[in-house]
Amino acid sequence: MNSSTSTDTSNQPDLIMQLCNHFAKNKPVLATNLCKTAFSFLCSPSDMECNIPSDEQFVVVQIREMLREQSTNSVEQFELLYSNICKTNVLQNRASVMNFLLKLAKISQKEVRWGTIESLDRFPSTTITRPKSHYFLKSGNSQESIRSIFQGHSALKSVQSSSTNIPSSRVTTAASSVWSKNELESVSSHLPSDTNLVSDRELLQDIIYSFQGIEGRFLRKEVAGLGFTIDPKAGKNLTPIQRGLMERLTGMSFLHNQLKQYCDSNDEHGGVICLALIATLRDELSSYYRTIALLQTALKKHPHDQPQMNLHKALVYIHEHRMRFEWLAYIAEQCNEKKGGALITAVHGFLQHGSKCAQEVSEKVLAAVCKPLFIMLSRWLLDGEINDACNEFFIEARDIAAAERLWHDKYHVRKAMVPSFITMEQAKKILATGKSINFLRQICKDSGQLPERDVLQKLSKTTSESLFSPEQSLEFDSALEKVYRETSLRVLDLLKNKYRLYEHLQSLRRYLLLGQGDFIRHLLELLVPELNKPAQEIYSHTLSTILESAIRVTNAQFEDEDTLQRLNASFMGHSQGDTGWDVFSLVYIVDGPVGTIFQPTMTTYQCLFGALWKAKRMEFVLANMRKQQISMAKKFRKIRELKPVMHIIHILTSEMIHFLHQTQYYFLFEVLECSWAEMLRRVNQAECLDEIISAHTIFLNSVQCGVLLDESSRQLFSQLRSIYNFILTLEGHQEALNEAATKEYDAFMALKAMTENSEMFGMTSEDEIIAKARVENFHEFLNSIRTKVKHLAQTYEQFVKKYLLLLSSSSNMNLQLLSVRLSFNDYYKII
């Protein structure tokens, strides 16, 4: 087929001319200008060398940046077209096509600067006077035609027809645009020549230097930064591909400098766990330095020929290190300014990451930083020792001198230092195990072999992965549970058997909580004369003597000698106006290992004794008043004026007795007995010392709440004390009435005896006047007492109603039921 009438797809010049004619819409002048631009670009020697990059994504990024400067719509349209190109299999080398289009766009912006294709119509005509020697394209072999232009051959055939005679229907292959050599050179003069290009060998040497944090010819350190930047002067001859590859490679330098800076800054001030992290990072850096040495060796293999190593291969060479360094740098950043368990927790978080590389790196780092923790943990569980100079362990020891406070205050868990793979329940068991060891050795003086130590000793020889690895942590959990349980049972066995825990509980219940009724009653009777005195007139040796007397005549004499020696009478600090009743207290001295349980609660026991002792005293006072009323009723039955007053006192006393009996029953049975039974159940089921302490504390808190000594019952207890004061006031009125009635009765009996005596001559007028005045004074006194008692009864009723109202509005159901019992049959009508 004739080449002038048909188009061969392998004829590249003709295809270019057809493409230009298509874009020019069959305008001859415009088509000629387009062909000139296209051939000038294709014939540029520097472009032929570097216009086809191997990195397609680099070209795509450059196109996006150039289009982003124009408009957002252009970028979106490009993304759509590029995604369509990626889906087709027609293009065999997308990178070359994309680079070609990018070069065309850059030339159109920087050199030709046309806005549209039609603007080429304003260019000068290409019909110029040609010299004798000029370039042209022939219609035969297109490869030879382009090669001849590229090599600068000048002896070529002439064109048979001018470019201005191209038909509008089709483009013939026999014609070609003709341009001068000077025109071609002027078009391509903007690109760097081949002699100014920088070889990959030179760039690679700078990259190797930067990998170790050293500046080179083309790379300079960032100001106040860790990375490297390309020197503007030395790097002006770099191609875009070389510049992009160097920027990617210098990212490794930044990661190296970041890790090295973390190691140097924390090497001296970090703890053992931080040093373990630094050691792991330096192992990775050592492996990285070996890779750099191999890279340097590969670069020097062919010094004169084209180097075997180039920038693309260097990227592959360090790819694995780059991935690991990225995660190591991120881990180091998260661990900055952290130590101990907090640092381990930060590393453990990366173990849950979806990236396989992140999991491998974090597992290696975690195994390293857990080794010091594993050693500390083994020492604590085996010997109860803490070797933690930098405060990294999650168990902290304080300087406590008192033996009774060792269990409570000396050791505790620092929550911020507990690693995330150890639960708070496990941390508490670890704490209790070490505390139990120290308790046995220091407080109980028990030097025997602790059980289950062989299991833990075998475990301590395993790897640190058993702490955080789900597959291996089961064995650690099992060993920890065994050691914790056996050590705790050893402590409980000593407390219950050797140090008589139950006996001490019973003694506190009997004497400080008034459980030994006969002893408390007799002690109260003996103490009345002494405690009625002012507080400053009471002496401790007198109280001790009375206490010994009460013990000898009651069932307390059968108590164990050790218990009786611990019981003592004491009085608290007093102020002006206090009596012995306000300061008296019984004390039970507890020391030794059981002091760990009881010593911190002695203040609570003193408060409970004070509240129960006051109620017991009111019961004693009312009982004596009742006995006195019976005696007065029999003795003064002939004094008729006394009966109305005694009736009012009797009624008020009955109300008070009912009130006090119900209150006493609630305190001693519903509160004390129920709480005591619950505490014994918990103590019997306890598996460790902490559970016994907790059961005892709960018991005391329950009793405190029941006897109205807690924070929420302050108003109730204040009202109850006022009611107690009314009882004492009524006692004083009755004592005064009894004293006055006794004097009147004696005077009346003496006067009667005088009148009945036959030897006497009766009463004189003066005696009658004295007797009459005495009777009138007595009647005035009775009226005064009667008025006082009535006022007292009214005030007492008001206070009781307010007290019952507070009880009924309480959130405690037991207090509400107490209110119902105190106002049985709605006697006080509080609503």
Side-chain angles (χ1 to χ4, degrees):
M1 183 179 291
N2 193 351
S3 61
S4 61
T5 60
S6 64
T7 303
D8 187 2
T9 57
S10 64
N11 195 338
Q12 298 176 4
D14 292 338
L15 292 175
I16 294 172
M17 294 176 64
Q18 290 182 26
L19 181 63
C20 294
N21 186 55
H22 173 73
F23 282 121
K25 298 181 180 179
N26 297 326
K27 295 179 181 180
V29 178
L30 181 57
T32 301
N33 291 333
L34 286 174
C35 288
K36 176 182 177 181
T37 303
F39 286 123
S40 66
F41 173 71
L42 291 173
C43 296
S44 174
S46 58
D47 274 349
M48 293 297 293
E49 182 177 348
C50 61
N51 64 346
I52 302 177
S54 61
D55 194 343
E56 178 183 349
Q57 293 300 320
F58 178 73
V59 180
V60 172
V61 171
Q62 285 190 323
I63 294 175
R64 289 196 189 103
E65 292 177 353
M66 186 183 68
L67 293 177
R68 193 175 289 110
E69 296 176 357
Q70 299 176 5
S71 66
T72 308
N73 295 332
S74 301
V75 179
E76 295 176 354
Q77 187 177 5
F78 167 74
E79 295 290 350
L80 180 61
L81 295 173
Y82 179 65
S83 63
N84 293 333
I85 290 175
C86 293
K87 294 177 182 177
T88 182
N89 296 324
V90 175
L91 295 178
Q92 299 298 325
N93 195 345
R94 288 197 304 270
S96 301
V97 175
M98 302 295 291
N99 187 52
F100 172 74
L101 296 175
L102 176 62
K103 292 294 183 181
L104 268 179
K106 288 184 177 180
I107 293 175
S108 67
Q109 288 182 344
K110 297 179 180 179
E111 301 297 334
V112 183
R113 300 183 186 279
W114 60 47
T116 60
I117 294 178
E118 286 75 5
S119 65
L120 289 176
D121 288 334
R122 300 192 297 271
F123 273 44
S125 175
T126 58
T127 306
I128 59 176
T129 303
R130 294 186 297 272
K132 294 180 180 180
S133 178
H134 51 268
Y135 289 165
F136 67 94
L137 297 175
K138 41 179 196 175
S139 60
N141 191 340
S142 61
Q143 295 180 357
E144 293 179 1
S145 176
I146 295 176
R147 188 182 299 112
S148 65
I149 294 175
F150 179 71
Q151 294 174 353
H153 292 170
S154 60
L156 298 173
K157 297 180 181 180
S158 61
V159 180
Q160 297 180 359
S161 59
S162 176
S163 60
T164 57
N165 298 324
I166 299 175
S168 59
S169 60
R170 67 177 181 271
V171 180
T172 63
T173 60
S176 173
S177 299
V178 181
W179 304 311
S180 66
K181 181 178 181 181
N182 294 332
E183 292 172 16
L184 292 172
E185 291 176 350
S186 63
V187 174
S188 60
S189 62
H190 66 283
L191 294 175
S193 62
D194 188 28
T195 58
N196 294 328
L197 293 178
V198 182
S199 66
D200 280 8
R201 181 182 180 82
E202 296 176 277
L203 298 178
L204 263 177
Q205 188 61 59
D206 260 33
I207 290 295
I208 292 174
Y209 288 153
S210 70
F211 283 169
Q212 304 168 73
I214 305 172
E215 291 184 344
R217 175 184 170 191
F218 301 97
L219 295 176
R220 295 287 183 268
K221 286 186 177 180
E222 293 179 344
V223 179
L226 298 176
F228 285 83
T229 58
I230 299 175
D231 187 270
K233 295 181 179 179
K236 63 183 179 180
N237 291 328
L238 298 181
T239 65
I241 300 301
Q242 290 175 328
R243 187 178 294 272
L245 290 173
M246 289 191 69
E247 289 177 352
R248 293 176 64 183
L249 286 166
T250 52
M252 191 67 188
S253 306
F254 173 80
L255 297 174
H256 164 267
N257 293 341
Q258 187 177 5
L259 293 178
K260 194 170 184 301
Q261 184 187 52
Y262 178 83
C263 294
D264 295 340
S265 60
N266 294 277
D267 196 4
E268 296 182 359
H269 306 290
V272 292
I273 293 178
C274 183
L275 291 178
L277 172 61
I278 293 174
T280 306
L281 296 180
R282 285 186 170 160
D283 287 344
E284 290 287 338
L285 288 173
S286 299
S287 176
Y288 165 71
Y289 292 145
R290 288 193 292 269
T291 302
I292 294 177
L294 295 176
L295 184 61
Q296 182 71 54
T297 304
L299 180 64
K300 292 183 178 180
K301 278 186 178 180
H302 302 280
H304 302 294
D305 196 3
Q306 184 178 1
Q308 182 180 359
M309 183 62 62
N310 56 31
L311 295 176
H312 289 86
K313 290 183 179 179
L315 272 176
V316 178
Y317 222 75
I318 65 167
H319 175 68
E320 183 178 354
H321 284 292
R322 184 187 182 101
M323 292 181 63
R324 295 179 68 85
F325 272 31
E326 285 178 352
W327 288 111
L328 287 172
Y330 196 15
I331 290 174
E333 182 181 357
Q334 296 297 315
C335 295
N336 195 26
E337 298 183 355
K338 294 180 181 178
K339 65 177 184 178
L343 186 146
I344 295 175
T345 299
V347 178
H348 184 255
F350 291 90
L351 198 62
Q352 313 302 324
H353 199 280
S355 171
K356 185 177 180 181
C357 180
Q359 293 177 4
E360 293 176 353
V361 171
S362 59
E363 186 173 358
K364 179 180 178 181
V365 175
L366 194 60
V369 297
C370 282
K371 287 181 180 178
L373 176 67
F374 193 73
I375 294 173
M376 295 179 190
L377 194 58
S378 300
R379 291 285 299 275
W380 172 252
L381 293 176
L382 285 171
D383 304 318
E385 298 178 1
I386 296 180
N387 187 10
D388 182 24
C390 299
N391 296 324
E392 295 179 294
F393 194 37
F394 58 89
I395 305 296
E396 183 183 16
R398 298 175 179 175
D399 294 331
I400 301 297
E404 293 80 6
R405 303 303 303 176
L406 180 141
W407 187 273
H408 301 279
D409 299 333
K410 187 167 185 177
Y411 303 103
H412 70 98
V413 176
R414 290 186 291 188
K415 294 182 180 180
M417 290 296 176
V418 178
S420 54
F421 48 79
I422 295 180
T423 63
M424 281 306 300
E425 182 180 357
Q426 289 177 323
K428 290 179 180 179
K429 289 182 179 180
I430 293 171
L431 172 67
T433 302
K435 283 201 304 184
S436 299
I437 295 174
N438 286 285
F439 183 80
L440 290 172
R441 300 280 168 80
Q442 300 179 29
I443 307 301
C444 300
K445 307 300 180 183
D446 180 35
S447 58
Q449 178 65 30
L450 296 174
E452 300 295 339
R453 291 297 148 215
D454 52 344
V455 177
L456 200 59
Q457 287 174 351
K458 292 179 182 179
L459 183 64
S460 64
K461 298 178 182 179
T462 61
T463 59
S464 58
E465 285 83 349
S466 60
L467 287 176
F468 62 87
S469 176
E471 296 81 7
Q472 303 180 31
S473 60
L474 294 177
E475 184 180 359
F476 174 79
D477 292 340
S478 177
L480 174 62
E481 185 66 29
K482 288 181 180 178
V483 173
Y484 164 73
R485 184 172 58 252
E486 294 299 327
T487 307
S488 299
L489 291 178
R490 178 67 171 272
V491 172
L492 295 185
D493 181 66
L494 287 176
L495 289 177
K496 292 178 180 179
N497 298 323
K498 183 177 180 180
Y499 296 102
R500 304 167 58 246
L501 172 64
Y502 288 112
E503 285 79 355
H504 288 300
L505 283 172
Q506 290 288 352
S507 298
L508 288 168
R509 170 72 179 89
R510 289 170 183 163
Y511 300 111
L512 295 191
L513 300 182
L514 313 188
Q516 191 73 26
D518 61 332
F519 167 77
I520 296 299
R521 176 75 182 193
H522 190 67
L523 177 66
L524 192 61
E525 292 178 355
L526 296 178
L527 286 173
V528 168
E530 191 69 24
L531 297 184
N532 284 331
K533 298 178 181 179
Q536 60 268 21
E537 298 180 8
I538 300 177
Y539 300 97
S540 58
H541 63 272
T542 305
L543 298 179
S544 299
T545 303
I546 294 174
L547 177 64
E548 292 177 3
S549 300
I551 291 174
R552 284 196 301 268
V553 297
T554 59
N555 287 331
Q557 62 181 315
F558 302 110
E559 283 282 355
D560 186 80
E561 187 64 27
D562 180 68
T563 300
L564 296 179
Q565 289 179 357
R566 295 177 184 272
L567 187 62
N568 197 3
S570 176
F571 56 92
M572 300 172 288
H574 55 83
S575 58
Q576 189 67 28
D578 288 342
T579 64
W581 296 105
D582 300 319
V583 297
F584 173 78
S585 176
L586 283 180
V587 178
Y588 188 82
I589 301 173
V590 184
D591 54 8
V594 290
T596 300
I597 302 173
F598 300 118
Q599 190 63 36
T601 62
M602 279 302 152
T603 304
T604 305
Y605 273 108
Q606 295 300 318
C607 294
L608 293 175
F609 174 82
L612 297 175
W613 178 256
K614 190 176 290 291
K616 183 64 69 173
R617 180 195 175 192
M618 294 302 109
E619 181 187 29
F620 178 76
V621 167
L622 289 173
N624 287 339
M625 286 178 64
R626 177 63 74 191
K627 288 191 297 183
Q628 191 178 50
Q629 289 171 10
I630 295 174
S631 300
M632 289 175 65
K634 292 181 178 179
K635 183 177 180 180
F636 306 130
R637 60 180 177 271
K638 292 183 179 180
I639 306 177
R640 298 179 179 178
E641 296 85 355
L642 191 63
K643 291 184 179 179
V645 181
M646 290 299 301
H647 178 72
I648 297 175
I649 295 177
H650 179 80
I651 295 299
L652 183 56
T653 305
S654 299
E655 292 182 18
M656 291 179 174
I657 291 175
H658 170 76
F659 176 89
L660 193 65
H661 282 177
Q662 296 299 326
T663 303
Q664 281 270 81
Y665 177 83
Y666 173 74
F667 285 169
L668 298 178
F669 293 96
E670 293 190 14
V671 175
L672 264 173
E673 289 299 330
C674 294
S675 300
W676 176 261
E678 179 65 19
M679 184 194 68
L680 288 182
R681 184 185 66 82
R682 291 186 178 183
V683 169
N684 291 328
Q685 295 178 356
E687 296 181 354
C688 65
L689 180 55
D690 279 323
E691 292 183 5
I692 289 183
I693 294 174
S694 176
H696 184 244
T697 304
I698 292 173
F699 163 72
L700 291 180
N701 292 338
S702 175
V703 175
Q704 268 190 310
C705 180
V707 299
L708 312 178
L709 291 179
D710 58 326
E711 288 291 329
S712 60
S713 303
R714 283 189 173 184
Q715 190 175 4
L716 276 170
F717 188 72
S718 176
Q719 201 73 12
L720 183 61
R721 292 190 62 172
S722 300
I723 295 173
Y724 288 165
N725 291 333
F726 287 130
I727 297 175
L728 296 177
T729 303
L730 181 62
E731 181 193 25
H733 292 331
Q734 183 170 307
E735 286 290 340
L737 180 62
N738 181 48
E739 184 178 353
T742 301
K743 289 181 180 180
E744 177 63 24
Y745 178 76
D746 291 343
F748 173 75
M749 294 304 294
L751 183 62
K752 182 179 180 182
M754 184 185 304
T755 56
E756 291 178 356
N757 191 351
S758 59
E759 296 179 358
M760 302 294 294
F761 296 97
M763 294 178 58
T764 64
S765 57
E766 185 178 353
D767 293 336
E768 290 179 358
I769 292 172
I770 294 173
K772 185 176 181 181
R774 189 192 69 249
V775 172
E776 288 178 356
N777 291 335
F778 180 66
H779 288 171
E780 289 178 2
F781 175 78
L782 290 179
N783 292 332
S784 174
I785 289 293
R786 183 175 183 179
T787 303
K788 290 180 181 180
V789 173
K790 282 186 176 180
H791 182 266
L792 179 65
Q794 293 175 358
T795 310
Y796 171 80
E797 184 176 359
Q798 293 175 1
F799 272 79
V800 170
K801 286 183 177 180
K802 184 177 180 181
Y803 178 72
L804 297 178
L805 185 62
L806 291 173
L807 289 176
S808 61
S809 60
S810 173
S811 58
N812 190 341
M813 183 60 67
N814 292 328
L815 293 180
Q816 295 178 17
L817 295 176
L818 176 62
S819 173
V820 174
R821 291 204 302 270
L822 290 175
S823 181
F824 188 69
N825 288 335
D826 200 20
Y827 176 80
Y828 288 101
K829 297 182 174 57
I830 59 176
I831 299 177

